[in-house]
Amino acid sequence: MTQPTQTIQAIAVSPGIAIGRVLRLRSHSHLLEPEPHKLEPGEVESELNRFHAAQELTRKQLTELRERLRARLNSQDADIFEAHLLLVDDKMFVGAVEKGIREDLYTADYALYQAAEHFAAVFNGMEDEYLRERGSDIRDVAARIMDNLSEAHNHEIGLDDRRIIVGSSLSPSETAQLDQSKVLGFAVETGSATCHTAILARSMKLPAVVGIPPELPESLSAADKLILDGYTGKIIINPDARTEEAYRLKAEAAGALYNKLEQEKALRPETTDGFMIQLAANLDTPEKIDEVRQSGACGIGLFRTEYLFMNRLKVPDEETQLDVYKNLLVASGEHPVIVRTLDVGGDKLNSNLYRAAEQNPFLGLRGIRLGLHERRDLLETQLRALLRAGIYGNLRVMLPMVSSVQEVQDVREILDQLTAQLDREGKEHVSRLSLGVMIETPAAALLADRFAPLVDFFSIGTNDLVQYTMAIDRSNERVAYLYRPTHPAILELIRRTVEAARQNNIWVSVCGQVAAEVRVVPLLVGLGVHELSMPPASIPMVRRAIRSMSMHEAEKTAQEALRCSNSSDALALSEALVRRCAPEILNI
């Protein structure tokens, strides 16, 4: 029996439109809690051997999967499984499993489950979306090892026809093994735009959405037909003929637009009256530098260094960090690379970074606070590596979670001391780092005129700026309605920041999520932001929006938005300008 026609709003993570029948997925990669059976002391060694055998088999499977994916897609996205392979052999993770077997006398299955849930919970508690998603990778790897412990080796999804997959989750391993000739797209409950499953979907050119209602998969049958809109996140269940035809036409128009956008990547992102807005790329790991090049970005507007500190028994030393920064700068050529110093927030990673847990870590010792007040050794090591790396390219460094002028002054003093150290050691380095601060606390925005004389640039982190200004946890669905970047208070803080920068002849970037939102681009442009930094895939659409409007129109719209009393009115003004100038963008 088919469901009545209805529309569901999910979250788009991979563009495209799919129309077809349903395949309900029961994932093989759910990590289920096994019974906590205890071992006899004499069984410990054989249980350790059982775990190590499953570990070895998992390593072999992931290596084969990586090579198959490389051959099929010819894509660096296959290197996702490099990260999975590292997890299989991660010393902290493996050590925790071995401890559970050897000391707690649990079976390998239960010790594995406990270790995986512990590390996944650590990542899931982090503020940074990219890092949160690494918890899913841990569960994916652990589920594969668990299957190998029980000798359940079937990881492939069987398909007899072209279908849209619907389920609670889809792991990177399962996604990579999908038969593209039989999969039209997928819709799942868990995940985000930064998860590895979404990255693979984009590489495989499969429309995908996440965030579907948990009850949806069980309510559908193989007889139900869906329209899956990977541009807007809409799912239409059993559409009528007119709606289906409209979406077929939309798919054709969208494909044509994306082809045109691909041809425009060499065009300058300037308004119709000649004002240039730099478009840079956010980067999580150096392996994705090719995506930055292909997007036509002017450089890297945000390089997150947190991945260097993940899953390590010891923090990365100066030489390890130097090698990463040097390679990234060389690969970027003359283009600027903005490196953000360590900004781990949300919860402790391990005792190598945090010495104590915090009741409210989002308002605690994170960002520059950690480096200045508890782990100066981490900050100094990173700054030494950056001073040395600066000779290899156009390096800029920015400090996260700044809220007082004294913090910038303290960092300047540290840089002077480190420069003198390197001179005495005879190590080559830049004489001065281009230093900026992230404007992501209301204090920093309100005191922008005091910060501006001390730094070379501002980078507005709108994700946290909205969260702290509106006093909301942006991961809490119950107050998500308050998370509105176009709230007049946020626009006013951006205006004040830009004005302070203008008076002190420095430039301003926006590297938060809103930089990629084409409906908001007119407001950012009109407020005077010089650079927008975003995921590489978002650059073509934002470039088209900028090239379609005039600075005069954008400034007028921004001024009107500042006078609004709520976020929806401000957004409507901005969206109206995009619709007048580039309707094809909003029609997708």
Side-chain angles (χ1 to χ4, degrees):
M1 181 176 178
T2 59
Q3 291 288 309
T5 299
Q6 61 176 303
T7 299
I8 292 170
Q9 184 64 52
I11 301 167
V13 296
S14 183
I17 291 172
I19 303 174
R21 302 288 176 186
V22 170
L23 172 70
R24 288 193 316 190
L25 172 69
R26 287 174 175 81
S27 176
H28 298 289
S29 293
H30 282 305
L31 190 59
L32 301 176
E33 182 175 3
E35 291 293 325
H37 294 304
K38 286 280 191 171
L39 300 168
E40 295 297 327
E43 298 175 313
V44 167
E45 286 305 315
S46 63
E47 197 68 6
L48 284 169
N49 290 337
R50 191 167 77 92
F51 169 65
H52 292 147
Q55 189 184 5
E56 175 60 31
L57 180 55
T58 300
R59 189 183 301 112
K60 179 181 177 183
Q61 290 169 343
L62 290 173
T63 301
E64 291 174 351
L65 184 57
R66 179 192 63 190
E67 295 310 312
R68 289 210 311 268
L69 194 61
R70 279 179 177 166
R72 198 166 101 213
L73 297 180
N74 190 27
S75 168
Q76 282 196 328
D77 288 334
D79 289 338
I80 283 171
F81 294 102
E82 290 285 359
H84 283 207
L85 283 164
L86 288 174
L87 283 171
V88 172
D89 294 311
D90 181 80
K91 291 181 179 179
M92 291 183 68
F93 178 51
V94 173
V97 178
E98 291 175 340
K99 177 180 179 294
I101 297 171
R102 185 178 287 113
E103 298 181 18
D104 301 329
L105 296 180
Y106 282 123
T107 60
D109 310 68
Y110 193 73
L112 172 64
Y113 173 80
Q114 281 196 316
E117 286 302 301
H118 168 73
F119 284 101
V122 169
F123 280 96
N124 290 342
M126 293 180 185
E127 187 274 336
D128 188 278
E129 183 179 51
Y130 175 81
L131 297 178
R132 277 204 308 272
E133 289 298 338
R134 304 296 70 81
S136 300
D137 294 333
I138 290 171
R139 287 195 173 101
D140 186 15
V141 170
R144 184 174 282 271
I145 298 174
M146 189 81 79
D147 283 351
N148 289 329
L149 280 169
S150 62
E151 300 183 356
H153 300 160
N154 181 21
H155 299 280
E156 297 193 8
I157 299 170
L159 290 159
D160 58 359
D161 196 5
R162 302 197 76 195
R163 298 276 181 171
I164 295 175
I165 293 174
V166 181
S168 62
S169 66
L170 192 65
S171 73
S173 298
E174 291 169 327
T175 306
Q177 294 178 114
L178 291 175
D179 183 344
Q180 286 177 264
S181 67
K182 294 182 178 179
V183 178
L184 297 169
F186 64 81
V188 293
E189 179 187 347
T190 61
S192 75
T194 62
C195 72
H196 281 158
T197 297
I199 292 169
L200 284 172
R202 292 192 288 271
S203 180
M204 297 166 73
K205 297 186 176 2
L206 290 176
V209 302
V210 300
I212 65 172
E215 67 275 7
L216 180 62
E218 292 302 318
S219 71
L220 297 174
S221 71
D224 287 307
K225 178 182 278 191
L226 302 184
I227 293 175
L228 189 156
D229 190 337
Y231 298 111
T232 66
K234 284 184 180 179
I235 299 172
I236 303 175
I237 301 172
N238 294 318
D240 58 35
R242 174 182 283 184
T243 301
E244 186 173 334
E245 178 61 21
Y247 268 87
R248 292 190 188 281
L249 294 174
K250 178 180 177 179
E252 292 176 9
L257 175 59
Y258 271 81
N259 287 336
K260 289 180 181 177
L261 293 176
E262 179 65 21
Q263 296 167 12
E264 293 176 2
K265 66 183 179 182
L267 298 178
R268 291 159 57 92
E270 63 181 8
T271 62
T272 57
D273 45 358
F275 288 86
M276 172 77 79
I277 310 297
Q278 299 290 352
L279 298 182
N282 295 343
L283 192 66
D284 298 309
T285 63
E287 289 75 20
K288 296 182 182 178
I289 187 64
D290 280 351
E291 291 183 25
V292 176
R293 294 195 192 99
Q294 293 165 10
S295 70
C298 70
I300 297 168
L302 168 62
F303 176 54
R304 301 179 175 96
T305 58
E306 289 73 42
Y307 91 100
L308 282 165
F309 296 79
M310 302 295 104
N311 296 326
R312 291 176 179 264
L313 286 174
K314 296 181 179 179
V315 297
D317 60 19
E318 182 179 324
E319 296 302 324
T320 299
Q321 294 191 55
L322 171 61
D323 189 53
V324 170
Y325 305 143
K326 172 185 173 181
N327 290 339
L328 185 58
L329 286 162
V330 170
S332 299
E334 297 180 355
H335 294 301
V337 175
I338 299 179
V339 175
R340 183 178 70 186
T341 59
L342 179 63
D343 183 23
V344 179
D347 203 346
K348 67 175 183 177
L349 288 175
N350 57 59
S351 58
N352 289 324
L353 298 184
Y354 289 85
R355 296 196 172 110
E358 298 180 273
Q359 281 192 319
N360 196 341
F362 292 135
L363 298 177
L365 205 63
R366 56 168 294 201
I368 198 61
R369 301 169 182 178
L370 176 67
L372 287 176
H373 297 289
E374 185 162 305
R375 296 303 307 270
R376 185 165 288 213
D377 59 319
L378 297 180
L379 179 61
E380 290 182 355
T381 299
Q382 187 166 34
L383 291 177
R384 274 179 60 100
L386 289 166
L387 281 164
R388 294 173 62 191
I391 63 175
Y392 296 102
N394 189 354
L395 174 65
R396 301 165 186 177
V397 176
M398 65 180 176
L399 309 177
M401 277 300 290
V402 169
S403 57
S404 76
V405 168
Q406 187 62 50
E407 290 166 332
V408 179
Q409 293 171 335
D410 289 346
V411 172
R412 286 287 190 196
E413 288 180 11
I414 292 172
L415 284 169
D416 290 342
Q417 294 166 9
L418 296 178
T419 299
Q421 278 181 15
L422 292 169
D423 284 338
R424 289 193 298 270
E425 296 168 14
K427 292 182 177 177
E428 196 174 2
H429 61 87
V430 290
S431 58
R432 182 183 183 278
L433 278 179
S434 175
L435 189 68
V437 295
M438 291 197 71
I439 305 295
E440 50 189 341
T441 66
L446 292 171
L447 294 180
D449 60 332
R450 325 285 170 85
F451 283 106
L454 303 177
V455 297
D456 300 295
F457 64 93
F458 288 147
S459 186
I460 302 174
T462 52
N463 298 356
D464 275 334
L465 185 61
V466 175
Q467 177 172 241
Y468 294 132
T469 302
M470 302 305 297
I472 62 165
D473 175 0
R474 61 192 178 98
S475 63
N476 184 340
E477 295 180 359
R478 299 174 71 183
V479 292
Y481 70 95
L482 290 170
Y483 185 79
R484 295 291 181 266
T486 57
H487 191 285
I490 305 300
L491 299 180
E492 174 60 23
L493 291 177
I494 295 174
R495 185 200 68 78
R496 290 175 68 103
T497 301
V498 172
E499 181 59 28
R502 182 182 293 118
Q503 291 177 0
N504 288 272
N505 199 31
I506 65 173
W507 53 275
V508 182
S509 172
V510 170
C511 64
Q513 186 175 334
V514 72
E517 176 52 72
V518 292
R519 298 183 305 160
V520 185
V521 165
L523 299 182
L524 300 177
V525 172
L527 288 170
V529 169
H530 303 95
E531 177 181 281
L532 301 176
S533 188
M534 65 199 74
S538 299
I539 289 177
M541 200 75 81
V542 173
R543 181 191 293 112
R544 169 63 73 92
I546 290 171
R547 288 180 55 81
S548 302
M549 71 184 72
S550 71
M551 177 61 79
H552 174 73
E553 292 172 311
E555 287 179 336
K556 181 180 177 182
T557 300
Q559 291 304 312
E560 291 177 0
L562 283 166
R563 292 192 290 270
C564 290
S565 58
N566 58 67
S567 58
S568 57
D569 289 348
L571 178 60
L573 288 169
S574 186
E575 187 173 326
L577 177 54
V578 177
R579 193 168 296 283
R580 287 199 307 273
C581 299
E584 69 280 7
I585 293 176
L586 298 182
N587 288 338
I588 290 181

